[in-house]
Every structure is written in structure tokens, then in C-alpha cells.
Amino acid sequence: MANYICSTKTNDFRVTDLDAFRDLMDRCSSEDELEVWKTTKEDGSIKVGFGVYGTFNGLSNNGYDEDDEEYEEYDPDESLDRFIAELQPLIHPDDACILIDVGWEKLRYVGGNALVITNKDTYNINLQKQAIVKTGELLGNPKYDTEF
């Protein structure tokens, strides 16, 4: 059995509260060491981003404090949902965090996703699904489907 290997990275994006962003990222977990960065652009704006050689899990222990009853119950979906809920108010209204992950398991699975997070909404883009839809458009066959 092969292991799933992936990398995860965001774009550089603006936040409204740098300290709150750092605090949020300090409470996150990932498969490998999470790298968080801050860059100052030529126009003087400050942008942040993060990435990991592996899977980004979201908030550690779903973001619960050690005193909470649910602290030990780890749910990966809830952990990412809670991370998004805390990140959204920090994203600058004119910017977005685009979280991209690409991964593979030998040649049985190769895929990629992009999760777009604004301060008001989210949208998930699956590379395989989008490629199939676009292929159907190019072929004039909206029912086109294939297996990877």
C-alpha cells in the first residue's frame, strides 16, 4: 500500500489583524512543520501566507481548549471548518486566502484542490472535476465523464 503525499500552500494575502492571525496559526496543526510567513510588498502593504509539506489539518483538537469536554475528540472536517470560521473575519475585505493542495499516491491517485476563502464566503475547486467539466464543454458533450 502506498502513502498519500501532498503539499499545501496559500497565496500571499492581507489580514486586518496580524497578531490575531499569528495566534490563529499557532493553534493549527499539520502533517509536517507548518511554515507561516509575512512579506512587505513594494507598495508597503503587508501580506501573510502559510504552507506545509504535507496535509494542513486546521485547528488543533478542533480549536477547543484543554478544559473543554470535546478537547480529545478530533474531527478533521470540523477542525478545518473552525479554522475557516476564525480566519474569515481576519481576511482583508479586498483580498482572499487561496489554499491549494496537490497530492499523489503512486499513480493510483493524483489530484489537486483550491479552497478560496474570503471574509464572507468560501468556494472549493477540485482539479479533476473541473477538468472533466471543461473537457465536456470542449467536446460539446456536457455528460462527458472519465476515470483517472
Side-chain angles (χ1 to χ4, degrees):
M1 179 174 227
N3 292 328
Y4 177 73
I5 300 168
C6 81
S7 294
T8 307
K9 182 183 181 300
T10 68
N11 62 318
D12 292 346
F13 60 98
R14 291 178 292 164
V15 293
T16 57
D17 186 334
L18 190 56
D19 291 332
F21 174 75
R22 286 182 180 145
D23 175 64
L24 174 61
M25 297 311 298
D26 284 345
R27 294 182 288 122
C28 289
S29 69
S30 56
E31 187 176 3
D32 200 347
E33 183 178 346
L34 182 64
E35 296 181 33
V36 180
W37 55 84
K38 174 185 91 165
T39 57
T40 304
K41 300 299 180 181
E42 289 181 15
D43 65 1
S45 65
I46 296 174
K47 295 195 175 191
V48 297
F50 60 93
V52 61
Y53 292 107
T55 303
F56 174 72
N57 299 324
L59 287 171
S60 304
N61 293 12
N62 299 328
Y64 293 109
D65 292 328
E66 291 179 19
D67 297 332
D68 289 327
E69 292 177 16
E70 300 175 46
Y71 176 76
E72 296 299 324
E73 297 176 21
Y74 177 75
D75 178 341
D77 291 333
E78 183 181 348
S79 181
L80 187 58
D81 289 346
R82 289 175 62 99
F83 168 75
I84 293 167
E86 288 196 37
L87 177 63
Q88 280 187 295
L90 302 177
I91 296 174
H92 190 281
D94 295 328
D95 213 339
C97 171
I98 304 170
L99 180 66
I100 295 178
D101 69 84
V102 293
W104 59 93
E105 182 180 9
K106 290 199 173 185
L107 287 179
R108 292 189 296 189
Y109 176 82
V110 176
N113 288 295
L115 175 61
V116 179
I117 308 166
T118 69
N119 68 348
K120 293 185 174 100
D121 207 355
T122 62
Y123 185 78
N124 190 52
I125 302 165
N126 178 290
L127 179 62
Q128 289 177 341
K129 289 180 183 176
Q130 292 298 317
I132 290 170
V133 168
K134 189 60 174 179
T135 302
E137 289 174 9
L138 294 172
L139 293 173
N141 177 5
K143 294 182 180 182
Y144 175 82
D145 199 5
T146 190
E147 292 182 22
F148 285 93

